[in-house]
Amino acid sequence: MGIPLELSSLSCGLRIIQAKNIEFIKTTGNLFVRYYLSAGDSKKIRLNTREISTKSDHIWNESISLECNGSDSFVRETVVFELRWRNTVPVFGRIGGSQLLGRAEVPWKEVLESPNMELDKWVTMVPRSTSGRAIEGVKPPKLQVSIKVGVQAEVGIDKRRQRRTKKWDECGCEDGHGYGCTCADYEIFALAALLEAI
């Protein structure tokens, strides 16, 4: 008899590394990346990296980790990235809002189907000028990102089995009871269950 397994949650890690091909920005100011993550029920969480000078090396190397819902709707969602520019010269004593320079999306399904559920890539963005218009004849900006999904918890394991377990290894798998299941097996089972739900 197999172990009933339901995926309760996933750990999702996201790292914004750096940008390139943004030489078309001739003005001074700051760059940052705004990204949107699904929060369920058609809601999105909006996060920003720190702002760096347009004259810098365009490296953020910022990471975030969070718990993600393992539902089938999660697999249909995307991570949206926006490269944004902000003028740092005050106008009427105030710093204004930001302007979109480029936008790209990465589907969670692409991450889940990648080896070890980890995706490291340069994302090509649809470029926009600081006035908001599309730019022709210019290399599109690219953003280097790393996205990783891991199985955070398994639920539905037979309660009697849990009571008999005396020892757990560091990632929560049973040790020394002859069940023959490793942590890697649980991650594979969880991924298979998630992909079947699609």
Side-chain angles (χ1 to χ4, degrees), residues 113-160:
E113 291 175 346
S114 63
N116 300 320
M117 294 189 290
E118 187 168 359
L119 187 66
D120 292 304
K121 71 183 291 184
W122 284 94
V123 180
T124 302
M125 310 190 98
V126 176
R128 299 267 178 209
S129 68
T130 52
S131 64
R133 291 189 294 273
I135 304 173
E136 293 190 26
V138 171
K139 281 185 179 179
K142 292 191 176 204
L143 183 66
Q144 186 181 17
V145 297
S146 176
I147 308 172
K148 184 174 183 175
V149 175
V151 177
Q152 189 169 29
E154 298 87 24
V155 263
I157 297 173
D158 185 5
K159 299 288 183 201
R160 289 171 296 167

Side-chain angles (χ1 to χ4, degrees), residues 28-49:
T28 59
N30 286 343
L31 293 173
F32 67 98
V33 177
R34 176 171 289 164
Y35 51 106
Y36 299 88
L37 302 167
S38 174
D41 297 329
S42 300
K43 295 177 185 171
K44 297 271 185 192
I45 298 171
R46 184 180 89 177
L47 300 164
N48 293 335
T49 62

Side-chain angles (χ1 to χ4, degrees), residues 70-91:
S71 68
D72 60 338
S73 63
F74 166 77
V75 178
R76 292 190 297 267
E77 297 287 338
T78 61
V79 182
V80 177
F81 298 98
E82 293 179 347
L83 181 61
R84 301 189 76 87
W85 171 81
R86 186 184 318 275
N87 186 356
T88 54
V89 177
V91 178

Side-chain angles (χ1 to χ4, degrees), residues 12 26 33 38 54 62 91 105 133 148 150 158-159 161 163 169 176 188:
C12 300
K26 303 297 184 198
V33 177
S38 174
T54 56
E62 289 186 20
V91 178
E105 296 184 21
R133 291 189 294 273
K148 184 174 183 175
D158 185 5
K159 299 288 183 201
R161 225 182 214 178
R163 279 193 297 268
D169 70 8
I188 291 169

